[in-house]
Amino acid sequence: MTVIPAGTEVAYTVTYLEMTERPEGPPPKLPDDIRLEVAKAPPNWFFLSLYDAVGKDYEWVGWHEREKAELSATLQDPKVQLTVAYRYGWPQGFFQLDWREAGCCELAYFGLVPEAVGAGIGSAFLRVALHQGWAHEGVTRMTVNTCTLDHPRALAHYQNHGFRPVRTEEDSRVLTRDRDPSKFPT
């Protein structure tokens, strides 16, 4: 595949999805060597380090373009939860749940670092996120969005776990980094 240089404007499609039924059964068991930890009121740098580790190849730049006070307020909000999966002493991935909209849990972020993709934890980790999202009192639906700049399997992964597309939007952006699709983990 060809590298698309930084500074190139690219079109992409955002797909918004929702889930209106709780996952069946108990939460999945992650491998014994995976430790989940909820980050309590984390500093911006901690969130951004995870955000960049997971999303830098997929053009996750939104939080770098917004006010730091907005990120801090989000991370400090008791209705927002950041959960990190650790293995071998370092983060394998994270998810962020947001219950600020009544009756809804947004899976605001979900992802694995490139070194953890293909290690057999992604599906179970996503199911843990879903169970935690639905466990909050009053939740009647969960939402998530992904786009064609994300991992090529992201949309199908969410659909395989019970999310259904509700709308799409076309957009474009100027790449901030060279985009090399051959680096995307499979």
Side-chain angles (χ1 to χ4, degrees):
M1 295 193 147
T2 305
V3 173
I4 305 167
T8 303
E9 185 169 354
V10 295
Y12 63 96
T13 303
V14 180
T15 302
Y16 296 87
L17 304 102
E18 73 176 16
M19 172 189 285
T20 56
E21 294 183 24
R22 295 175 183 272
E24 294 183 10
K29 180 159 174 37
L30 289 165
D32 290 338
D33 61 346
I34 296 288
R35 175 177 52 90
L36 296 183
E37 193 165 325
V38 174
K40 302 286 186 187
N44 288 5
W45 67 261
F46 181 75
F47 172 82
L48 290 171
S49 68
L50 295 169
Y51 180 82
D52 290 342
V54 170
K56 71 178 187 290
D57 291 334
Y58 307 114
E59 223 26 54
W60 288 16
V61 297
W63 277 116
H64 293 289
E65 297 170 345
R66 293 159 72 180
E67 294 293 325
K68 298 306 177 204
E70 183 183 355
L71 175 58
S72 183
T74 297
L75 295 173
Q76 305 305 309
D77 194 307
K79 292 182 178 180
V80 176
Q81 176 182 299
L82 177 67
T83 301
V84 184
Y86 290 91
R87 184 185 239 173
Y88 314 124
W90 48 274
Q92 302 290 295
F94 77 102
F95 61 82
Q96 185 180 53
L97 301 173
D98 185 335
W99 294 281
R100 291 180 290 182
E101 180 184 329
C104 181
C105 176
E106 177 188 9
L107 178 57
Y109 294 98
F110 175 85
L112 300 175
V113 298
E115 298 84 356
V117 172
I121 65 169
S123 287
F125 190 45
L126 178 56
R127 289 193 317 269
V128 166
L130 299 178
H131 279 272
Q132 285 187 16
W134 280 99
H136 198 272
E137 187 176 336
V139 171
T140 59
R141 70 185 177 105
M142 281 190 75
T143 62
V144 69
N145 71 71
T146 187
C147 75
T148 52
L149 295 175
D150 272 336
H151 190 286
R153 291 192 324 251
L155 179 59
H157 192 62
Y158 291 130
Q159 289 177 298
N160 290 340
H161 285 85
F163 284 98
R164 297 291 167 245
V166 293
R167 76 179 197 281
T168 60
E169 290 179 6
E170 301 301 319
D171 207 343
S172 66
R173 75 173 310 113
V174 175
L175 296 178
T176 60
R177 299 178 176 100
D178 290 347
R179 184 170 170 83
D180 183 358
S182 71
K183 290 177 26 180
F184 298 164
T186 57

